[in-house]
Amino acid sequence: MNRVPILHSTDIDRAVSCLASGGLVALPTETVYGLGAAINKPEAINRIFNVKGRPTNHPLIVHVSDWDMALPLISEPLHEYVKALVSAFTPGPITFILPKSVALSDAITGGQNSVGIRIPNHPVTHLILQQLGVAVAAPSANKFGEVSPTSALHVFNDLNDVLNPDRDAIMDGGESEIGLESTIVDCRSDVPKILRPGAITEEMIREVVGTVESVETPDIRVSGALEKHYSPRAIVRIINSFEEVKNTMSQVGFIALEQVPTPLNTIRLAMPQHAIEFAQVLYDALRKADDLNLQEVYVVVPEDRGIGIAIRDRVTRAAH
Ligand code: TXA
Ligand code: MG
């Protein structure tokens, strides 16, 4: 069977030529792995949707090496606070929704007049974007609705059967440092609005801008905001007490901070020491549940502050 090549992190040239010739390359970022196509390769952009099984009206995030590369893709004037957010948090785990320029194709933005811009903080992907000199559209490198990948192996397991070994590649950049998708901030009105929580928290944004809103159900198409998303095959449940585990008949996986003891008759899938580590290992632990063919996974989420808010958001959607 043909296998899609997994490139070593030093093989920047090969990743760049793959993108330049219209192939798809799975790229490491600090949040999760993305499935990238150069924005000037329309056929490659279309293939992203096929490979993921993603509806074509869901917009893609456009990744750039620095703010200058973003400028031709957006339409000015921007609100003053955008500059402050860009300088405070980029490169980093944040995506800005901005008015798009006419140059940017509808296929990338799902027909919307806005674009999501992200400057990822990963040395390998930074070099690839810089050498390519063209922005790269990339959703998370998983099948639509399933768990995002935080390693090259996750991507391989999810997409090897649908990628083309002669044209596409997976770039191995190690495990994603954060483990949850970027914070998405809509920057089109006077006050920035958080559409998807992430490692850059509401408090962090408020400190820079003064005001910020969090939107429960955004009315624009943020697929990560669909009620059900980020789901393994196993049924996910958020629990608060062990009593809820007692009467289960099925094989149950268990994810909680180290300080929470493992209930009897459950299989411990992760025991991170703090919320930051919880975010790092969560998706791998949910994937383990499926590898072990568990029917259910019970999760005790960390406190609702800092990255804990994004953790609860993703586990809640996985549980829906
Ligand atoms: O951390 C991340 O953001 C990762 C890495 C690869 O950068 N990407 C990611 O992409 O999570 P994706 O496609 O799985 O989720 C991005 C979300 C989607 O839900 C999409 O609908 C939303 O961003 N989005 C992109 N452009 C948008 C736009 N113009 N308006 C509203 N939502 C947008
Ligand atoms: Mg995704």
Side-chain angles (χ1 to χ4, degrees), residues 27-35 52 54 57-63 93-98 108-110 112-118 120 138-142 148 180-184 186 188 195-196 220-226 229-230 314:
L27 296 169
T29 85
E30 78 279 33
T31 58
V32 300
Y33 275 65
L35 181 65
K52 276 190 60 101
R54 176 173 169 131
N57 63 356
H58 282 274
L60 303 174
I61 292 178
V62 177
H63 297 69
I94 185 165
T95 297
F96 306 98
I97 307 295
L98 298 165
I108 293 169
T109 61
Q112 306 193 61
N113 55 11
S114 59
V115 56
I117 298 283
R118 173 153 137 70
S140 53
N142 52 280
S148 295
L180 297 180
E181 302 79 359
S182 62
T183 306
I184 300 182
D186 188 344
R188 291 173 301 162
L195 305 184
R196 177 174 75 181
I220 43 179
R221 291 178 288 257
V222 185
S223 65
L226 291 177
H229 216 80
Y230 313 108
R314 303 308 193 280

Side-chain angles (χ1 to χ4, degrees), residues 94-234:
I94 185 165
T95 297
F96 306 98
I97 307 295
L98 298 165
K100 83 173 191 83
S101 76
V102 286
L104 202 65
S105 103
D106 275 352
I108 293 169
T109 61
Q112 306 193 61
N113 55 11
S114 59
V115 56
I117 298 283
R118 173 153 137 70
I119 308 174
N121 186 17
H122 191 291
V124 171
T125 293
H126 181 78
L127 280 174
I128 292 172
L129 290 168
Q130 226 176 16
Q131 276 194 37
L132 183 66
V134 175
V136 167
S140 53
N142 52 280
K143 300 245 171 82
F144 185 65
E146 297 179 8
V147 180
S148 295
T150 54
S151 71
L153 186 61
H154 289 168
V155 180
F156 183 86
N157 291 339
D158 288 358
L159 300 181
N160 179 52
D161 60 335
V162 283
L163 289 174
N164 180 338
D166 300 320
R167 299 182 65 185
D168 307 328
I170 297 169
M171 176 45 99
D172 192 349
E175 279 170 33
S176 297
E177 202 183 317
I178 289 170
L180 297 180
E181 302 79 359
S182 62
T183 306
I184 300 182
V185 189
D186 188 344
C187 299
R188 291 173 301 162
S189 36
D190 293 348
V191 175
K193 289 194 189 79
I194 298 179
L195 305 184
R196 177 174 75 181
I200 305 293
T201 61
E202 190 178 317
E203 300 85 84
M204 289 162 77
I205 292 174
R206 185 172 296 115
E207 227 166 82
V208 173
V209 181
T211 49
V212 57
E213 287 171 19
S214 279
V215 179
E216 276 283 307
T217 15
D219 51 3
I220 43 179
R221 291 178 288 257
V222 185
S223 65
L226 291 177
E227 284 189 343
K228 183 176 169 61
H229 216 80
Y230 313 108
S231 297
R233 284 195 313 279

Side-chain angles (χ1 to χ4, degrees), residues 31-94:
T31 58
V32 300
Y33 275 65
L35 181 65
I39 61 164
N40 59 357
K41 298 287 171 193
E43 194 206 322
I45 298 286
N46 287 338
R47 278 188 61 225
I48 288 182
F49 293 92
N50 295 335
V51 162
K52 276 190 60 101
R54 176 173 169 131
T56 51
N57 63 356
H58 282 274
L60 303 174
I61 292 178
V62 177
H63 297 69
V64 291
S65 57
D66 50 45
W67 188 244
D68 282 346
M69 198 187 256
L71 288 175
L73 311 174
I74 59 184
S75 112
E76 295 186 277
L78 302 176
H79 290 283
E80 266 303 307
Y81 66 79
V82 177
K83 236 191 274 166
L85 289 176
V86 169
S87 76
F89 300 122
T90 71
I94 185 165

